[in-house]
Amino acid sequence: MTTMMSAATTCTQPLLEAKHLQLSYGQQVAFHDVSLPIASGEIMAIVGPSGCGKSSFLSCLNRMSDLVPHCHVQGEIHFNGTNILSPRTDTLLLRRRIGMIFQKPNPFPLSVWENLALPLREHGLVKSQTSRRAFRQAIHQAIEAVLRDVGLWEEVKNRLHSSALALSGGQQQRLCIARALILQPEVLLLDEPCSALDPLASAVVEELMLRLRPRYTQVVITHNLAQAKRIADRIAVFWVQQHKGQLIEVGSTQQIFNAPTHELTAAYVSGGKG
Amino acid sequence: MTTMMSAATTCTQPLLEAKHLQLSYGQQVAFHDVSLPIASGEIMAIVGPSGCGKSSFLSCLNRMSDLVPHCHVQGEIHFNGTNILSPRTDTLLLRRRIGMIFQKPNPFPLSVWENLALPLREHGLVKSQTSRRAFRQAIHQAIEAVLRDVGLWEEVKNRLHSSALALSGGQQQRLCIARALILQPEVLLLDEPCSALDPLASAVVEELMLRLRPRYTQVVITHNLAQAKRIADRIAVFWVQQHKGQLIEVGSTQQIFNAPTHELTAAYVSGGKG
Amino acid sequence: AKPPQAANSEGIKLQGNIVLTGSSTVAPLAIEMGKRFEEQHPQVRVDVQTGGSSRGLADTRNGSADIGMVSRSLKPEEGDLTAHAIARDGIAIILHSENPVAELSPEQVVDIYQGQLTQWSDVAGGPTSPITVVNKAEGRSTLDVFLKHFDLKNSEIQAQVIIGDNEQGIKTVTGNPNAIGYVSIGAAEHSIGRGEPLKMLPLDGVSPSTTTLQDGTFPLARTLNLVTQGASEPTAQAFLQFAQSPQVQDLIEQQNFVPIESAPLAPSTP
Amino acid sequence: MSISQRPGLTVTALDRLLGFAMAATVIAVGLGFCWILGAIVAQGLGQISLAFLLAEPSNAGREGGIAPMLVSTLLILGVCLAIALPLGLGTALLLAEFTITDQRLGRLVRRSLDFLAGVPSIVFGLFGNAFFSQVLGLGFSILSGGLTLACMVLPLLIRTTEEGLRAVPPSYRQGAAALGLSQTTTLFKIILPAAVPGLIAGLVLGMGRALAETAALIFTSGYVDRFPRSLMDSGRALSIHIFDLSMNIPGGDARAAASALVLLTLLLLLNLLAGALAQRWANSS
Amino acid sequence: MQTFEMSQLSSLRRAHRRDRILRHSLRLLGSITGLLVLLITLFVLQEAWPALQNLGFIRFWTDGSWHPLEGSFGLMPMVLGSGLIALGATAIATPLGLLSALFCQCYGPPLLVVPYRRLLELLAGIPSVVYGFWGLVVLVPQINRLHPPGQSLLAGTLILSLMILPTVALLAIASLAQIPSSYWQGAAALSLSRWTTLTRIILPSARSGLFTAVVLATGRALGETMAVLMVCGNVVQVPSSVFDPVRSLTANIALEMAYATGDHRAVLFVSGLVLLAIVAGLVVMAEGISNQGMSSESVIVHER
Ligand SMILES: Nc1ncnc2c1ncn2[C@@H]1O[C@H](COP(=O)(O)OP(=O)(O)OP(=O)(O)O)[C@@H](O)[C@H]1O
Ligand SMILES: Nc1ncnc2c1ncn2[C@@H]1O[C@H](COP(=O)(O)OP(=O)(O)OP(=O)(O)O)[C@@H](O)[C@H]1O
Ligand SMILES: [Mg+2]
Ligand SMILES: [Mg+2]
């Protein structure tokens, strides 16, 4: 499992870079002209008021926007040097390498165990063992490890085989995080991962994100400015202007909180009570 | 519209009181032996780790638990002196008087306008006017007022007649709050109303809750301890012990934060990073 | 030649509804007769329903129909009903036109239907291919007539295909060069006339056609009947007379049946 | 790096197989349909003219037109839907939304329906004749034909609507309940519109079945090829006309094909109409 | 306590009244449906009664052949015929219908999907005579060339599978349409292959709808008459290969009912009764299977 080491060397070229990105739903432009480089290994937090296009932006980065009808993306996104918006991109591979966690938890209508075992088996992440039992054992270990990572193991270990839909909201969200992590992607996109979590669980997830920092590149949307402050290396601020989302400022966490250049940013970080 | 004045006089008897309440899903007990009086006009915050039964508790208070198959509630809940768990309770009226906002925003698959007009018309809250136009006008006024209350008016005024499902997560949540408010209930149950909101929108909702304080009794689940501190009059702390949820402490906000009696509470409020 | 209006000039104004139910073979003819009858008696409505001879018998008995249509002669146990023959229909053995066999003796027909002759090569001039025997379903009057003529029992017959209506038989044979079947002469003539690959075999040396049927030389025939129970109303009575009168001969011929009175054609003028 | 983790060969092969099977199915079904349709068009198209649509039949249908059959068909369909839609919708609602309380009745009704779906149409015809025509005294009439058809399409309508209803997310019901909305409002304003896809599927299938039905109509709405004057009159449906022309009338094939073509066009129009109406309802409520 | 305005109280009362009416009328409608089934069964039973009384029930299973006019009433070959045709047709139509539905609902380009859907809808509305007619003049001669006589189990199965395909496909489309998009998104984000997404997540979620589709289609296949009558050959025998003609119970009724009287008519109703029994068996079996598969997922329902 752990043989797959990350390539998170601090190279100067960004791992993931949006260039003049614009997304529209039908006629309505959700955001436009967003250029944002994301360096390998960093945690980039995206903040901004509701409806400014944060989720939409995130969904471009692994081409999830393809799934939304009438959704149209313009511009370029470079990942490891290739433009992933090109139609030739293998989206299966792309999404395997760029994992995503959604704003609303969306476990599959399967058991907790199957929710995790499914992607594991699908991607052949557990080496096929000599016996079926050993194979199952290996899967079990992987599942236990990742559930411990997200702090869910104790809560669900007795109900691994009952439906994931019967978990509480926070439990579901942590399960979804575990599901994304189990694939060990290079980049993790997190859309408000802690919004359904209590402080203890939030802390677990934050800790986890920090622990993953050297190995994974993470882009996280959060409404919790304190959280952004705690975990992010850099922060990008989105805003709605003339009914279109826009990236108004991006900078290191320190700079954004202590010396914002944009007045809206200043108002936001000071007014934000998160 | 505003003739319906609340009876929020500060009487000694609690408006809503749970007595030895226990809820189980099939065999599994979600929480047990919860006794919690809620005074008229106060804001009661419920906090606690994920899965401790907060949402389940809330759903008993307006009998939403009826909708979950195999869900069994024992004990008593008194509202204005009558036990609402009695089978003779008129649930339509009860829920009309005790409004609820859910953890996941759940707007109807209708237009924004219809989401709000439907409950309005259903409950005859807008007096039937002489003409159809005047009636529509009255509805429009009520809708505009409540959308302004939740800070959504500016964002949606141009798309009142397009589907509510196309709103962003935060917009949906605010719409759901508006939908509950438009009925002007006596009690509002809020299940993490701000978890999908950015700080600005959160602040709007918090302000709103404070503004509603004298008129409405509010029970709010939150994971954000800072928020609880800011808005709540009293705080109830739930915890999981032996796989069952329990009320471990209830007290004024001050007391809970400054002089918690239970050690778990102490750990929670100090460790909470929200 | 259309019969003139005053054909039925007894002076009584006929009115009311007549309901006919029964055989689907007779129904199209009855409809056309009904239309002409309505023309002469604008107050009368003739409703024709199908559902099979058995339905015609049953409905006439229980009174839900005024007249039944039956595509066979009445059986002895049906003596409570009165039959009014309106037309005759012949039955011909048919082959695919590619089949070189030109004639089959009655014995050969019997052998083929009993499954003793299974190859066309066993018949003079026949190709080397197996015979597909097409038979009618139990109860059908064509089957009754066929069985009676060849003195067969239905349980002795070894068929490969069992059919219902005439057209199904014709389509089965036109689609299968090795098939042998039997259908109503009128239907077969009509199909041959339209150039479908079909031919009728002579029986006892008489080639089947509406002409030989009409002059009584062709042996395999059945009667199409209208049946009633007891005394019928004047309107129904009038219709029965009308249906047996020369005024409808052209209609009978149009539907490929043979009028009953093969004898001198009555002049169609009063 | 993780490029080596490309999904295993078997998976992509299965995916490709799936895509291939899908394409093959679509092509095969499309071809099969075109084959049938081609045969109908080749035989029937030449017969179609305005006169064919507007005239009454003569010479047992070999000449003239099909106007009375068109009228009868639409009337029969109208009666059928007028009965089956409310009955079907009501039963579907009962099954999908009230089964907890009416569990016994629900299970019984659901079983009955699946059973009803398998009853051969000729049995429906005989039943319709015995019950509607004779016991209820409707005789051979458009009314008894429509009623019989309603019994036939009921299971299709109900089961599809029920599935549609079951698939509506529970959060809508929760939301409605929390607002104290009455069940009536919840069902008719929120749940039913959300279940429209299932409803349309049922409607489309039901109409197709109703328009295509022969055996059940021969014994009920009858064989009379005149313009009906009322619902109590007998009237020949297009499908029966087609059946009669192709199976009973020598030389009726071309006319049968032409009538079938008209029937299919009619069905296409009705389907489009149903889809549009249902969509409007879903959007407007 | 709060003082309600009259309009609100009366609207509440109205809501209760409406709900009560709704509940009662729904129950009434449901009962009508149930009653219909009872009526039909009773009707068939009544018509079949004379035969059952005269001949007993055993005769229909033990008699070697079907010659009702000559006193032998073996139904067994036809039961087998009906079963085989329906089974074959369902076995062909189910995968084809499912694939069609997936094409329409999930993967097909919209430009193709819309006409293909219309095509399926039209297939559902082609009268069975037309199918039968086409089968008789086009399909049967083709099969005849392979193996005479052409009218056969195979022809019936093929025609019937084409006929019930739209039922499966359209119902499956409807149930696939209801899968929450979050499942698709979740699967895509985990870059699950189509195969896994479908077989592990989507199809299981749509299970109940798909199951209904297959049950209804099988019912239709069992009950179909005209097309089967025209292409199956209708010989009462136990087929030894797919090229042998067979007779289904429905064809039996349609072929002979028109000319049957007295006892003959009654024994035809017995074959109808047997068919109903088969359908009933199928339904009970289906219920068993579908209940087995149901997990205790949290479903929200209405209260009383
Ligand atoms: N599927 C859709 N169709 C049409 N419009 C959409 C769709 N999804 C989002 N939008 C609109 O696009 C804009 C940006 O939405 P987005 O979900 O990206 O916002 P967000 O920044 O994530 O907000 P939040 O913090 O509330 O989640 C909003 O105005 C929203 O209403
Ligand atoms: N429908 C259900 N069926 C079975 N178990 C359930 C159901 N809903 C909740 N539970 C279980 O009951 C317990 C309490 O759940 P609840 O949703 O009340 O927690 P919560 O305190 O609201 O958590 P969170 O903060 O994560 O939302 C959990 O263990 C949960 O898994
Ligand atoms: Mg968002
Ligand atoms: Mg909760």
Side-chain angles (χ1 to χ4, degrees):
Chain A
M1 280 278 299
T2 46
T3 55
M4 196 180 78
M5 256 319 290
S6 145
T9 49
T10 45
C11 48
T12 48
Q13 216 210 336
L15 177 67
L16 195 60
E17 181 172 15
K19 286 182 180 167
H20 304 292
L21 205 62
Q22 160 164 346
L23 181 145
S24 32
Y25 295 108
Q27 296 301 315
Q28 194 205 348
V29 176
F31 63 80
H32 74 138
D33 199 24
V34 171
S35 297
L36 181 66
I38 296 157
S40 179
E42 77 171 340
I43 298 183
M44 164 73 81
I46 299 180
V47 301
S50 175
C52 65
K54 304 181 297 292
S55 298
S56 306
F57 173 73
L58 212 64
S59 74
C60 299
L61 297 183
N62 67 346
R63 292 271 300 268
M64 286 299 291
S65 48
D66 289 12
L67 298 192
V68 182
H70 312 298
C71 173
H72 186 61
V73 183
Q74 278 167 304
E76 289 182 10
I77 300 174
H78 288 268
F79 177 49
N80 274 327
T82 55
N83 179 10
I84 58 169
L85 290 184
S86 114
R88 285 207 316 282
T89 308
D90 177 350
T91 51
L92 273 194
L93 181 56
L94 178 73
R95 296 189 188 132
R96 163 83 188 71
R97 294 170 66 185
I98 305 185
M100 184 164 200
I101 290 134
F102 296 85
Q103 196 164 0
K104 287 188 195 178
N106 60 348
F108 297 133
L110 307 170
S111 68
V112 174
W113 164 282
E114 274 299 325
N115 261 285
L116 297 166
L118 191 63
L120 259 190
R121 278 195 296 250
E122 171 83 1
H123 293 289
L125 284 176
V126 175
K127 282 197 214 77
S128 43
Q129 308 279 333
T130 43
S131 74
R132 274 185 70 84
R133 255 200 73 200
F135 184 65
R136 221 183 137 74
Q137 194 62 37
I139 290 189
H140 187 85
Q141 275 164 8
I143 288 179
E144 177 170 346
V146 76
L147 283 178
R148 278 192 197 283
D149 265 353
V150 296
L152 199 59
W153 176 250
E154 288 302 321
E155 287 164 59
V156 300
K157 68 181 175 192
N158 293 325
R159 44 202 278 206
L160 282 177
H161 295 284
S162 62
S163 172
L165 297 184
L167 295 181
S168 81
Q171 290 167 334
Q172 288 190 11
Q173 184 62 304
R174 281 179 286 159
L175 178 65
C176 290
I177 297 178
R179 201 174 59 179
L181 283 181
I182 210 167
L183 293 184
Q184 298 185 300
E186 289 166 67
V187 181
L188 263 185
L189 310 177
L190 303 108
D191 193 346
E192 299 182 38
C194 300
S195 74
L197 300 187
D198 66 298
L200 295 183
S202 281
V204 170
V205 172
E206 281 181 26
E207 217 168 84
L208 180 71
M209 287 176 68
L210 291 173
R211 206 151 19 97
L212 300 175
R213 168 138 57 170
R215 286 192 288 146
Y216 296 78
T217 309
Q218 295 167 65
V219 186
V220 53
I221 297 179
T222 176
H223 284 140
N224 188 329
L225 290 178
Q227 186 181 58
K229 207 167 181 173
R230 282 193 299 271
I231 57 168
D233 297 308
R234 291 198 304 148
I235 294 183
V237 184
F238 277 63
W239 210 268
V240 193
Q241 290 181 318
Q242 286 129 19
H243 296 290
K244 286 177 194 169
Q246 225 169 319
L247 176 66
I248 56 166
E249 184 163 5
V250 56
S252 73
T253 306
Q254 267 213 321
Q255 183 246 310
I256 293 283
F257 277 95
N258 302 332
T261 59
H262 201 291
E263 59 197 60
L264 285 169
T265 313
Y268 192 68
V269 296
S270 64
K273 298 173 178 178
Chain B
M1 278 280 302
T2 46
T3 54
M4 198 180 79
M5 256 319 292
S6 142
T9 49
T10 45
C11 49
T12 47
Q13 215 209 341
L15 177 67
L16 195 60
E17 181 171 17
K19 286 184 180 164
H20 305 292
L21 206 62
Q22 157 163 347
L23 181 147
S24 33
Y25 295 108
Q27 296 302 314
Q28 194 204 347
V29 176
F31 63 80
H32 73 139
D33 199 23
V34 171
S35 298
L36 181 64
I38 296 160
S40 180
E42 76 170 340
I43 297 183
M44 163 74 80
I46 300 180
V47 301
S50 174
C52 65
K54 304 182 295 296
S55 299
S56 305
F57 174 72
L58 212 63
S59 73
C60 299
L61 297 184
N62 67 347
R63 291 270 301 267
M64 287 298 291
S65 48
D66 288 12
L67 299 194
V68 182
H70 312 298
C71 171
H72 187 60
V73 183
Q74 279 167 299
E76 289 181 12
I77 301 175
H78 288 268
F79 177 48
N80 274 327
T82 56
N83 180 10
I84 59 170
L85 290 184
S86 115
R88 283 208 318 281
T89 307
D90 177 349
T91 52
L92 282 194
L93 179 58
L94 178 72
R95 296 189 189 135
R96 161 83 188 71
R97 294 169 68 183
I98 305 187
M100 182 165 204
I101 289 135
F102 295 86
Q103 198 163 1
K104 288 187 193 179
N106 60 349
F108 298 133
L110 307 170
S111 69
V112 175
W113 165 280
E114 273 300 326
N115 260 284
L116 297 167
L118 188 64
L120 259 191
R121 278 196 296 251
E122 171 83 1
H123 292 290
L125 284 177
V126 175
K127 275 196 221 85
S128 44
Q129 308 281 332
T130 43
S131 75
R132 272 183 72 84
R133 256 200 71 201
F135 185 64
R136 223 182 136 74
Q137 192 63 36
I139 290 189
H140 188 86
Q141 274 165 9
I143 288 179
E144 178 172 343
V146 76
L147 283 178
R148 278 192 198 282
D149 265 354
V150 297
L152 199 59
W153 176 249
E154 287 302 320
E155 286 163 63
V156 299
K157 67 180 174 192
N158 293 323
R159 45 200 279 204
L160 283 177
H161 294 284
S162 61
S163 170
L165 297 184
L167 296 179
S168 81
Q171 290 166 335
Q172 288 190 9
Q173 185 60 306
R174 280 178 289 157
L175 178 64
C176 291
I177 298 178
R179 199 174 60 180
L181 283 182
I182 210 167
L183 294 184
Q184 298 185 296
E186 290 165 68
V187 180
L188 261 185
L189 310 177
L190 304 108
D191 192 347
E192 299 183 40
C194 299
S195 76
L197 300 186
D198 66 297
L200 294 185
S202 278
V204 171
V205 173
E206 280 181 24
E207 218 169 85
L208 181 71
M209 288 175 69
L210 290 174
R211 203 147 28 93
L212 299 174
R213 171 143 48 171
R215 283 193 289 148
Y216 295 78
T217 308
Q218 296 168 65
V219 186
V220 55
I221 297 179
T222 177
H223 285 139
N224 189 329
L225 289 179
Q227 187 181 56
K229 206 169 182 173
R230 279 194 299 273
I231 57 170
D233 297 309
R234 291 199 304 149
I235 294 183
V237 184
F238 276 63
W239 209 268
V240 194
Q241 290 183 318
Q242 288 131 17
H243 297 288
K244 285 178 193 169
Q246 227 169 315
L247 175 66
I248 56 168
E249 184 163 5
V250 56
S252 73
T253 308
Q254 268 212 321
Q255 182 247 309
I256 294 284
F257 277 96
N258 301 333
T261 57
H262 201 290
E263 59 197 59
L264 284 168
T265 314
Y268 192 68
V269 296
S270 64
K273 297 172 180 179
Chain C
K2 270 209 167 163
Q5 279 295 18
N8 203 318
S9 51
E10 285 113 74
I12 323 156
K13 259 273 194 264
L14 290 174
Q15 57 185 21
N17 251 15
I18 316 172
V19 177
L20 285 80
T21 67
S23 162
S24 58
T25 316
V26 187
L29 173 62
I31 280 206
E32 294 302 317
M33 288 178 170
K35 279 183 185 162
R36 185 165 289 173
F37 192 68
E38 285 171 2
E39 264 170 35
Q40 295 181 7
H41 306 277
Q43 306 278 27
V44 176
R45 244 176 112 86
V46 182
D47 277 0
V48 179
Q49 310 290 359
T50 61
S53 299
S54 60
R55 165 129 246 133
L57 292 171
D59 283 357
T60 314
R61 280 204 178 106
N62 70 22
S64 55
D66 302 297
I67 300 171
M69 303 177 283
V70 182
S71 59
R72 57 170 165 81
S73 311
L74 290 183
K75 294 176 184 164
E77 68 264 28
E78 290 155 357
D80 55 326
L81 300 169
T82 325
H84 312 262
I86 55 169
R88 279 166 71 79
D89 183 23
I91 292 159
I93 294 178
I94 53 170
L95 299 180
H96 195 277
S97 58
E98 276 172 24
N99 195 328
V101 174
E103 172 139 33
L104 289 173
S105 68
E107 293 72 35
Q108 279 175 319
V109 173
V110 169
D111 285 351
I112 288 175
Y113 269 85
Q114 285 186 335
Q116 280 145 14
L117 273 180
T118 56
Q119 296 292 324
W120 280 114
S121 49
D122 298 338
V123 179
T128 50
S129 45
I131 302 177
T132 302
V133 176
V134 181
N135 192 27
K136 281 251 178 181
E138 187 107 21
R140 299 250 164 190
S141 49
T142 351
L143 173 75
D144 286 347
V145 174
F146 181 81
L147 291 182
K148 199 180 280 168
H149 179 83
F150 288 103
D151 198 19
L152 281 164
K153 271 172 78 183
N154 197 21
S155 50
E156 299 166 348
I157 290 182
Q158 302 288 319
Q160 271 81 53
V161 178
I162 292 174
I163 56 158
D165 294 306
N166 285 324
E167 285 297 297
Q168 193 184 355
I170 289 173
K171 263 143 210 148
T172 302
V173 175
T174 52
N176 184 345
N178 303 319
I180 177 171
Y182 54 93
V183 296
S184 160
I185 290 180
E189 265 188 347
H190 200 285
S191 298
I192 294 169
R194 278 183 307 143
E196 289 187 12
L198 200 69
K199 66 178 177 191
M200 292 188 272
L201 290 189
L203 196 63
D204 303 334
V206 184
S207 56
S209 72
T210 33
T211 329
T212 54
L213 194 61
Q214 199 156 21
D215 60 28
T217 44
F218 190 76
L220 214 51
R222 61 172 169 172
T223 319
L224 306 182
N225 288 308
L226 298 183
V227 300
T228 51
Q229 189 179 37
S232 22
E233 292 172 39
T235 319
Q237 198 63 49
F239 181 76
L240 284 174
Q241 276 172 12
F242 177 77
Q244 287 177 306
S245 76
Q247 300 174 57
V248 294
Q249 243 176 45
D250 59 321
L251 295 180
I252 294 176
E253 281 159 10
Q254 198 180 32
Q255 302 304 324
N256 308 103
F257 299 125
V258 172
I260 286 288
E261 269 103 7
S262 50
L265 296 180
S268 54
T269 39
Chain D
M1 72 158 293
S2 60
I3 297 181
S4 60
Q5 298 280 354
R6 258 214 76 111
L9 222 186
T10 46
V11 169
T12 34
L14 278 176
D15 266 16
R16 218 169 294 140
L17 188 74
L18 193 69
F20 179 76
M22 233 153 28
T25 303
V26 171
I27 292 173
V29 175
L31 279 182
F33 176 74
C34 290
W35 198 359
I36 296 182
L37 193 71
I40 302 176
V41 169
Q43 264 204 315
L45 196 62
Q47 304 283 325
I48 293 184
S49 63
L50 202 62
F52 180 69
L53 293 176
L54 297 181
E56 291 195 46
S58 62
N59 190 6
R62 293 187 194 91
E63 289 153 36
I66 54 168
M69 288 71 160
L70 270 176
V71 173
S72 303
T73 304
L74 288 176
L75 285 178
I76 293 171
L77 188 67
V79 171
C80 161
L81 290 183
I83 301 296
L85 274 181
L87 203 58
L89 228 57
T91 313
L93 283 173
L94 181 76
L95 289 179
E97 307 287 327
F98 292 84
T99 32
I100 285 288
T101 42
D102 280 327
Q103 225 167 21
R104 280 242 190 78
L105 182 62
R107 190 158 354 116
L108 194 76
V109 171
R110 194 169 302 124
R111 276 195 188 143
S112 313
L113 282 172
D114 289 345
F115 178 73
L116 210 55
V119 174
S121 50
I122 188 164
V123 172
F124 270 113
L126 295 170
F127 166 75
N129 183 274
F131 187 68
F132 297 120
S133 302
Q134 284 172 23
V135 175
L136 297 188
L138 300 176
F140 283 96
S141 66
I142 289 186
L143 204 54
S144 65
L147 286 170
T148 310
L149 277 193
C151 303
M152 277 188 68
V153 302
L154 213 50
L156 279 176
L157 224 53
I158 294 174
R159 292 297 258 147
T160 47
T161 312
E162 190 200 347
E163 289 305 329
L165 289 172
R166 279 183 189 284
V168 173
S171 69
Y172 295 166
R173 295 185 179 97
Q174 277 175 324
L179 288 170
L181 298 188
S182 64
Q183 276 173 1
T184 322
T185 309
T186 311
L187 291 180
F188 287 98
K189 291 286 169 67
I190 297 166
I191 308 293
L192 268 182
V196 155
L199 233 168
I200 295 186
L203 193 63
V204 160
L205 274 176
M207 284 200 303
R209 181 113 200 240
L211 281 182
E213 186 46 46
T214 44
L217 290 181
I218 284 188
F219 298 104
T220 50
S221 68
Y223 187 73
V224 173
D225 61 354
R226 267 188 312 240
F227 281 108
R229 290 170 307 185
S230 74
L231 292 185
M232 289 305 290
D233 263 5
S234 166
R236 192 191 289 191
L238 255 184
S239 51
I240 292 190
H241 193 55
I242 296 170
F243 174 72
D244 195 49
L245 282 175
S246 57
M247 297 312 289
N248 203 27
I249 308 288
D253 295 359
R255 288 273 155 158
S259 308
L261 212 52
V262 173
L263 185 73
L264 283 186
T265 317
L266 186 68
L267 179 66
L268 185 67
L269 293 178
L270 285 173
N271 284 350
L272 291 174
L273 186 74
L277 281 182
Q279 211 51 57
R280 255 191 53 193
W281 180 48
N283 290 341
S284 72
S285 57
Chain E
M1 262 277 338
Q2 207 149 13
T3 48
F4 278 106
E5 274 180 39
M6 272 319 288
S7 73
Q8 289 165 35
L9 269 183
S10 69
S11 77
L12 191 73
R13 228 174 293 131
R14 235 185 355 254
H16 277 298
R17 187 152 16 93
R18 259 183 307 170
D19 277 4
R20 212 166 32 241
I21 294 174
L22 177 77
R23 265 197 307 275
H24 287 315
S25 46
L26 289 190
R27 241 173 252 160
L28 180 75
L29 292 176
S31 315
I32 292 180
T33 312
L35 206 67
L36 266 176
V37 176
L38 207 67
L39 272 177
I40 289 185
T41 319
L42 279 182
F43 164 72
V44 177
L45 204 63
Q46 180 208 335
E47 298 283 336
W49 192 244
L52 288 177
Q53 218 171 18
N54 293 345
L55 305 168
F57 201 64
I58 310 296
R59 288 278 306 273
F60 295 98
W61 305 104
T62 50
D63 277 8
S65 67
W66 173 260
H67 288 290
L69 293 184
E70 295 167 31
S72 57
F73 303 96
L75 282 178
M76 208 53 205
M78 290 186 271
V79 171
L80 207 67
S82 268
L84 285 176
I85 297 171
L87 208 70
T90 312
I92 296 176
T94 302
L96 291 189
L98 217 56
L99 285 168
S100 299
L102 287 174
F103 176 81
C104 285
Q105 201 54 44
C106 312
Y107 297 115
L111 220 64
L112 273 179
V113 163
V114 174
Y116 187 65
R117 236 194 109 136
R118 291 273 165 259
L119 183 150
L120 286 174
E121 290 171 0
L122 283 185
L123 272 178
I126 297 181
S128 54
V129 208
V130 175
Y131 277 109
F133 193 80
W134 178 81
L136 189 55
V137 298
V138 179
L139 190 64
V140 163
Q142 300 294 333
I143 298 178
N144 177 40
R145 222 167 287 158
L146 274 178
H147 193 297
Q151 270 103 334
S152 55
L153 179 59
L154 180 65
T157 308
L158 288 180
I159 288 281
L160 212 51
S161 52
L162 202 57
M163 290 183 71
I164 62 171
L165 176 86
T167 310
V168 182
L170 290 177
L171 295 186
I173 288 176
S175 57
L176 286 180
Q178 312 269 9
I179 302 284
S181 61
S182 70
Y183 292 171
W184 289 103
Q185 282 171 355
L190 289 171
S191 85
L192 298 183
S193 66
R194 277 179 189 183
W195 178 259
T196 313
T197 310
L198 287 177
T199 53
R200 304 303 306 281
I201 299 163
I202 303 301
L203 295 184
S205 309
R207 184 185 52 218
S208 132
L210 300 180
F211 203 75
T212 307
V214 175
V215 170
L216 285 182
T218 312
R220 172 96 208 260
L222 274 173
E224 179 50 45
T225 313
M226 285 328 294
V228 173
L229 183 155
M230 286 162 84
V231 300
C232 275
N234 303 321
V235 178
V236 184
Q237 62 178 13
V238 177
S240 55
S241 83
V242 290
F243 294 108
D244 277 358
V246 292
R247 184 186 291 192
S248 73
L249 288 166
T250 50
N252 189 42
I253 303 175
L255 271 175
E256 303 189 356
M257 186 61 87
Y259 296 87
T261 44
D263 260 5
H264 187 188
R265 185 177 145 87
V267 294
L268 289 180
F269 272 98
V270 174
S271 55
L273 202 61
V274 170
L275 192 72
L276 294 193
I278 296 177
V279 176
L282 182 85
V283 168
V284 171
M285 219 170 64
E287 176 114 346
I289 297 175
S290 73
N291 275 354
Q292 220 169 41
M294 291 294 173
S295 64
S296 59
E297 277 163 26
S298 49
V299 203
I300 307 271
V301 292
H302 277 280
E303 314 135 278
R304 33 173 264 91

